[in-house]
């Protein structure tokens, strides 16, 4: 996806992550930043998914069968980005963001299943390769679940299981698509999962210094790699 729109996405992402860094630094030191970096976050974060959508549309084949599903996935990711920004106004926006990203993951799962077709998945043949992800999931739930209030337990559990399934479905594509497509999609899915894990740890277990920087770095990188994988797949589908 070497096109000018990719550079636009990278610039927006760098501005957003830079703003997260300086806002985190001001919170850590208790001082006030000379520039209103929170406003910069409010400007740049909602631009990320539209920019990535433009990259995808420019880079993928016109008649790609999965195009509408991927556009919908990026739309709900955008909704998630915007609503999670508004938690400081009302905590209920957290549930809206969780729901939006849940739909994004379900749509990605749908894409991965369609990419498999009628072929036997990698994990059906080699189920033990799922073990590291399952151990990671159990360890994360062991840390997070006891810290959750009753009303949060069900939605967080459903969301966590869904993103685990999203990564497992990405892993299932091994040997069914080219190595380049698989590398981008699977590594992107992993980065997305790590980003969500950091959100959970920071929000429910213990505050993480510069959490916003790490969360957004993994998120923008993960989303880009997943979309790059789809764009590459569109040329071989």
């Amino acid at each position: 996806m070497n096109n000018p729109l990719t550079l636009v996405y990278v610039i927006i992402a760098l501005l957003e992550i830079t703003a997260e860094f300086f806002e985190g630094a001001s919170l850590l030191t208790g001082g006030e930043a000379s520039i209103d970096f929170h406003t910069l976050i409010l400007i740049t974060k909602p631009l990320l998914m539209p920019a990535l959508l433009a990259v995808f549309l420019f880079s993928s084949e016109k008649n790609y069968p999965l195009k509408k599903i991927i556009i919908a996935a990026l739309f709900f990711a955008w909704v998630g980005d915007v609503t999670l920004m508004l938690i400081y106004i009302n905590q209920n926006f957290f549930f809206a963001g969780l729901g939006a990203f849940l739909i994004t993951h379900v749509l990605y799962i749908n894409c991965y299943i369609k990419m498999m077709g009628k072929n036997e998945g990698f994990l059906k043949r080699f189920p033990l390769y799922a073990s590291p992800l399952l151990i990671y999931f159990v360890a994360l739930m062991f840390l997070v679940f006891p810290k959750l209030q009753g009303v949060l337990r069900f939605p967080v559990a459903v969301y966590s299981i869904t993103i685990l399934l999203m990564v497992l479905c990405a892993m299932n594509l091994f040997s069914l698509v080219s190595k380049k497509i698989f590398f981008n999609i699977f590594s992107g899915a992993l980065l997305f999962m790590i980003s969500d894990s950091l959100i959970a740890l920071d929000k429910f277990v213990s505050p993480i210094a510069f959490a916003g920087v790490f969360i957004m770095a993994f998120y923008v990188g993960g989303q880009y790699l997943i979309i790059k994988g789809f764009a590459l797949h569109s040329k071989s589908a």
Side-chain angles (χ1 to χ4, degrees), residues 30-101:
E32 291 187 6
S34 57
I35 300 175
D36 186 357
F37 288 102
H38 185 71
T39 299
L40 182 58
I41 291 172
L42 294 176
I43 293 170
T44 54
K45 197 171 184 180
L47 296 176
L48 286 167
M49 291 305 102
L52 188 57
L53 174 60
V55 172
F56 172 68
L57 293 175
F58 188 88
S59 304
S60 60
E61 294 299 315
K62 184 177 180 180
N63 298 319
Y64 183 40
L66 301 180
K67 180 168 284 189
K68 289 182 180 179
I69 303 175
I70 295 165
I71 291 171
L74 290 175
F75 168 75
F76 282 104
W78 174 80
V79 173
D81 286 342
V82 172
T83 51
L84 289 180
M85 282 195 313
L86 302 176
I87 291 175
Y88 72 98
I89 297 175
N90 190 315
Q91 287 296 314
N92 287 329
F93 280 114
F94 175 76
F95 293 101
L98 202 68
F101 278 117

Side-chain angles (χ1 to χ4, degrees), residues 64 66 70 108 111-112 115 166-167 169-174 177-192 221-234:
Y64 183 40
L66 301 180
I70 295 165
Y108 281 159
C111 288
Y112 302 153
M115 289 167 72
M166 190 272 288
V167 180
C169 287
M171 179 184 282
N172 220 20
L173 292 173
F174 184 73
V177 295
S178 72
K179 290 181 179 178
K180 194 171 184 180
I181 293 171
F182 173 77
F183 170 80
N184 281 283
I185 286 178
F186 181 59
S187 57
L190 281 177
L191 292 179
F192 205 151
Q223 284 280 49
Y224 174 79
L225 289 173
I226 291 171
I227 296 305
K228 182 179 179 181
F230 285 137
L232 291 169
H233 182 254
S234 76

Side-chain angles (χ1 to χ4, degrees), residues 110-131:
N110 189 16
C111 288
Y112 302 153
I113 292 172
K114 288 181 181 296
M115 289 167 72
M116 282 179 55
K118 297 181 180 179
N119 298 305
E120 187 176 58
F122 172 73
L123 291 177
K124 187 174 182 179
R125 290 173 284 141
F126 305 102
L128 287 178
Y129 279 88
S131 299

